[in-house]
Amino acid sequence: MLNILVCLDSNYINPLKVMLYSLFSNNENSNFDIYLMHSKIPQDKLNSLNDYIVNNWPNNSFYPIKVSSDDFKNAPVVSYYSEEMYYRLFAHKYLPKNMERILYLDPDILVINEINDLYNVDFGNNLFAACHHNKIFIKGINKIRLLQYQIEEYYNSGVLMMNLTEQRKRIEEKVIYDFIEKNKAILILPDQDILNSLYSKDIKDVDEILYNYDTRFYTYYKFLSKGKVDMDYIFDNTVILHFCGKKKPWKKPYSGEFYSLYKHYQKQVQKLENK
Amino acid sequence: MLNILVCLDSNYINPLKVMLYSLFSNNENSNFDIYLMHSKIPQDKLNSLNDYIVNNWPNNSFYPIKVSSDDFKNAPVVSYYSEEMYYRLFAHKYLPKNMERILYLDPDILVINEINDLYNVDFGNNLFAACHHNKIFIKGINKIRLLQYQIEEYYNSGVLMMNLTEQRKRIEEKVIYDFIEKNKAILILPDQDILNSLYSKDIKDVDEILYNYDTRFYTYYKFLSKGKVDMDYIFDNTVILHFCGKKKPWKKPYSGEFYSLYKHYQKQVQKLENK
């Protein structure tokens, strides 16, 4: 049984269904417990999500976790920053006490191969396993912006293997709140900035080509790898395609190498729902 | 039960499997009889194709039809022209006598929606139903080249609904052979040229966007339709994606809007074969 965590609001339920479809259909030998942390998704939508999961994949289970806004009443507010973005960092507080590991996934993802190797990663003493997006320009910008925190790599927070046992011991709410309060002005992607500024030395680095392939950079990855990372390589090896950036394949306008693939999965979800 | 015809040699068995996977998986409410006309595919490959079809889709059947080279010994030869290209035009001679209609499909195709409407097309008195590729430059070139035959539209021969009852009455071998003999020098895509030159007035026109979408022209179709024929429209409406042209998605180099989708289907076939 593999644990998956998602944290989102009602706007992302449809992309979530597509992500889960891809996860389940490409991991037919695994069963999943899906944990959804949310603050205000209405009960009827949770019920319908539960039906979607357990009716179509009866070996999987769905556990919504409602987070009370009171829990975050002391959290500093940044205007463009939804409360749900915090949740992944505090998930260890809300998940079952005996759970040792869980894979956090953003909803703008397709899982196209088996996730077992990622799931069973050897954390060592690290709190997380994640991928840094090794693009020189991104690294440059973020190193300057968050210079004082001596970031080695800028990790993407959309795919996070979580070492819950260690997190319960070592992640402190107050440290995170203080960080936000102090850096409000320069935070762009708050959860990601927090992850990188406070925990980058506690992150085990895993290969972005395999586990957090940024779909905007097909040409870039192919060029940097001298042609190795082409479409064949991706379908044989890449596990997680991440539709990073503002433009999303479920919203027009969109274009890109993986648009037709995304639409294919979206269509499969529609078919299940119209059954 | 729907009849499907393919005509090919051993080089196209893998693309054929991908095409069939897409056909079957997107037409789960239909059963298929697959007829393969060939001249020299070895028996072990035919057996393995049979296994692929009947083991994975037990309601479907596979009927290989070996065409003797003697049957075509009087056919004029054009060097770049494989014998198998002829077969679709003579299929009515080889298929069961009581069969009334069959859908011929090229192997460089993905079927992404239900084919029933195409299959049940009202032929009227026509021999075929097919799509013309309405691109001004293609039409221009071909009208000049085959001017004497007064072609109205240039139909693509990769997707052909066949009115076998009428074909048995009205298609004559000798007329086709004479045509080839006379036009050897200007034939580029022989089967298609024959279809257009001899039978274009006996073809019922069906919509290329739905039934013979040329994957090279995503931008062109979208532009001409003022944005209507976008990726959403295609997945909701288009039945047949046709990977026309020299570059094929199973051979490198390839690029294009439907490459990732093709690779997805190719991967599904691999998975079935590794089971």
Side-chain angles (χ1 to χ4, degrees):
Chain A
M1 184 64 68
L2 309 184
N3 303 311
I4 301 292
L5 173 66
V6 293
C7 306
L8 42 87
D9 63 26
S10 297
N11 294 320
Y12 288 90
I13 290 181
N14 284 328
L16 172 63
K17 286 179 177 172
V18 175
M19 187 273 270
L20 292 177
Y21 185 99
S22 70
L23 173 68
F24 299 158
S25 63
N26 293 309
N27 285 269
E28 287 184 328
N29 299 321
S30 299
N31 298 324
F32 293 95
D33 280 348
I34 306 298
Y35 292 84
L36 164 63
M37 287 176 65
H38 72 102
S39 59
K40 49 182 186 296
I41 299 180
Q43 192 57 43
D44 60 323
K45 290 196 172 166
L46 294 172
N47 293 344
S48 121
L49 199 49
N50 182 71
D51 290 349
Y52 172 74
I53 293 170
V54 304
N55 293 348
N56 293 306
W57 297 276
N59 294 324
N60 297 347
S61 305
F62 176 58
Y63 302 103
I65 301 176
K66 191 174 166 67
V67 177
S68 160
S69 282
D70 288 352
D71 291 13
F72 285 83
K73 70 178 178 218
N74 296 322
V77 171
V78 184
S79 62
Y80 45 79
Y81 185 164
S82 92
E83 197 179 302
E84 285 78 4
M85 289 185 83
Y86 280 103
Y87 293 175
R88 72 194 85 180
L89 296 172
F90 297 115
H92 59 275
K93 286 179 55 183
Y94 294 87
L95 293 165
K97 291 297 162 217
N98 59 344
M99 189 185 289
E100 293 178 358
R101 59 177 65 210
I102 194 165
L103 173 59
Y104 169 83
L105 294 173
D106 271 354
D108 54 351
I109 272 175
L110 290 178
V111 180
I112 62 167
N113 273 302
E114 292 196 357
I115 63 159
N116 304 66
D117 286 353
L118 173 63
Y119 195 87
N120 296 314
V121 63
D122 179 4
F123 285 115
N125 205 32
N126 290 302
L127 299 174
F128 300 94
C131 307
H132 67 277
H133 280 172
N134 186 15
K135 278 165 288 295
I136 292 142
F137 57 95
I138 289 186
K139 280 174 70 172
I141 290 168
N142 285 307
K143 273 200 177 160
I144 293 165
R145 197 161 55 87
L146 300 167
L147 202 59
Q148 54 181 320
Y149 294 94
Q150 294 180 297
I151 298 172
E152 302 280 311
E153 304 286 1
Y154 193 76
Y155 289 97
N156 179 280
S157 62
V159 178
L160 288 177
M161 261 312 297
M162 299 195 171
N163 183 350
L164 296 173
T165 318
E166 282 302 308
Q167 287 186 10
R168 286 188 197 97
K169 294 182 206 159
R170 288 154 57 193
I171 291 187
E172 284 179 70
E173 248 169 282
K174 194 176 171 316
V175 174
I176 295 177
Y177 289 164
D178 287 352
F179 175 85
I180 297 169
E181 193 58 48
K182 196 169 156 193
N183 294 285
K184 268 181 190 177
I186 57 163
L187 296 180
I188 293 178
L189 297 163
D191 64 299
Q192 198 157 288
D193 285 345
I194 295 167
L195 184 80
N196 280 283
S197 301
L198 297 180
Y199 304 109
S200 73
K201 286 174 181 161
D202 302 299
I203 299 176
K204 162 130 184 174
D205 190 31
V206 288
D207 185 354
E208 68 172 318
I209 297 290
L210 300 184
Y211 299 119
N212 201 334
Y213 180 105
D214 187 330
T215 54
R216 292 170 298 179
F217 298 118
Y218 178 75
T219 307
Y220 174 89
Y221 287 133
K222 200 174 153 190
F223 172 77
L224 270 200
S225 66
K226 294 173 184 153
K228 190 181 94 170
V229 183
D230 61 6
M231 203 55 91
D232 278 316
Y233 186 93
I234 293 164
F235 276 83
D236 287 341
N237 297 284
T238 295
V239 177
I240 293 175
L241 295 174
H242 192 178
F243 292 79
C244 298
K246 253 192 175 172
K247 292 193 175 174
K248 297 299 184 194
W250 59 85
K251 263 192 215 162
K252 295 178 195 177
Y254 186 82
S255 63
E257 283 81 3
F258 300 94
Y259 192 19
S260 63
L261 182 70
Y262 193 88
K263 281 286 153 196
H264 168 80
Y265 280 106
Q266 215 176 3
K267 181 87 191 269
Q268 303 314 304
V269 173
Q270 273 174 32
K271 275 193 197 173
L272 284 184
E273 307 225 276
N274 294 336
K275 254 185 188 170
Chain B
M1 186 61 71
L2 309 183
N3 303 311
I4 301 292
L5 172 65
V6 293
C7 305
L8 42 87
D9 63 27
S10 296
N11 294 320
Y12 288 90
I13 289 181
N14 283 329
L16 172 63
K17 285 179 177 172
V18 176
M19 187 273 272
L20 291 176
Y21 185 99
S22 71
L23 173 68
F24 299 158
S25 64
N26 292 310
N27 284 269
E28 288 184 326
N29 298 322
S30 299
N31 298 324
F32 293 93
D33 280 349
I34 307 297
Y35 292 84
L36 164 63
M37 288 176 66
H38 72 101
S39 59
K40 50 181 183 296
I41 299 180
Q43 191 58 42
D44 61 325
K45 290 198 173 165
L46 293 173
N47 292 345
S48 122
L49 199 48
N50 182 71
D51 289 349
Y52 172 73
I53 293 170
V54 303
N55 292 348
N56 293 307
W57 296 276
N59 293 323
N60 296 347
S61 305
F62 176 57
Y63 302 102
I65 300 176
K66 191 172 165 68
V67 177
S68 160
S69 282
D70 289 351
D71 291 13
F72 284 84
K73 70 177 178 218
N74 296 321
V77 171
V78 183
S79 63
Y80 44 80
Y81 183 165
S82 92
E83 197 178 305
E84 285 77 5
M85 289 184 83
Y86 278 104
Y87 293 174
R88 71 196 85 179
L89 297 171
F90 297 114
H92 59 275
K93 286 179 56 183
Y94 294 87
L95 293 165
K97 291 298 164 218
N98 59 343
M99 190 185 288
E100 292 179 358
R101 59 176 67 208
I102 195 166
L103 173 58
Y104 169 83
L105 293 174
D106 271 353
D108 55 351
I109 271 175
L110 290 178
V111 180
I112 62 167
N113 273 301
E114 293 196 356
I115 63 159
N116 305 65
D117 285 354
L118 172 62
Y119 195 87
N120 297 313
V121 63
D122 179 3
F123 284 115
N125 204 33
N126 290 302
L127 299 174
F128 300 93
C131 308
H132 66 277
H133 281 171
N134 186 16
K135 279 166 287 294
I136 291 142
F137 57 94
I138 290 187
K139 280 175 70 172
I141 291 169
N142 284 307
K143 272 198 176 163
I144 293 164
R145 195 162 56 86
L146 301 167
L147 201 59
Q148 54 181 322
Y149 294 95
Q150 294 181 298
I151 297 170
E152 303 279 312
E153 305 285 359
Y154 193 75
Y155 289 97
N156 179 281
S157 62
V159 177
L160 287 178
M161 262 311 299
M162 298 195 171
N163 183 351
L164 297 172
T165 318
E166 282 300 309
Q167 288 186 10
R168 286 187 197 98
K169 294 183 205 159
R170 287 156 54 193
I171 292 187
E172 284 179 71
E173 250 170 280
K174 191 175 173 317
V175 173
I176 295 176
Y177 289 164
D178 288 351
F179 175 85
I180 298 170
E181 194 57 49
K182 195 169 157 192
N183 293 284
K184 269 182 187 173
I186 58 163
L187 295 181
I188 293 177
L189 297 163
D191 64 301
Q192 198 157 289
D193 285 346
I194 296 167
L195 184 80
N196 280 283
S197 301
L198 297 181
Y199 304 109
S200 74
K201 285 174 182 161
D202 301 300
I203 299 175
K204 164 130 184 175
D205 190 32
V206 288
D207 185 354
E208 67 171 319
I209 298 290
L210 301 185
Y211 300 119
N212 201 334
Y213 180 105
D214 186 331
T215 54
R216 294 172 296 180
F217 298 117
Y218 178 74
T219 307
Y220 173 89
Y221 287 133
K222 200 174 153 192
F223 173 77
L224 271 201
S225 66
K226 294 173 184 151
K228 189 182 96 172
V229 182
D230 60 8
M231 204 55 93
D232 277 316
Y233 185 92
I234 293 164
F235 276 83
D236 287 342
N237 297 284
T238 296
V239 177
I240 293 174
L241 295 174
H242 191 178
F243 291 79
C244 298
K246 254 192 174 170
K247 293 193 174 173
K248 298 299 186 194
W250 59 85
K251 264 194 214 158
K252 296 177 193 182
Y254 186 82
S255 63
E257 283 80 3
F258 300 93
Y259 192 19
S260 63
L261 182 70
Y262 193 87
K263 282 286 154 200
H264 168 81
Y265 280 106
Q266 217 176 0
K267 181 88 191 267
Q268 303 314 303
V269 173
Q270 274 174 30
K271 275 193 197 175
L272 284 185
E273 307 224 274
N274 296 336
K275 252 187 189 171

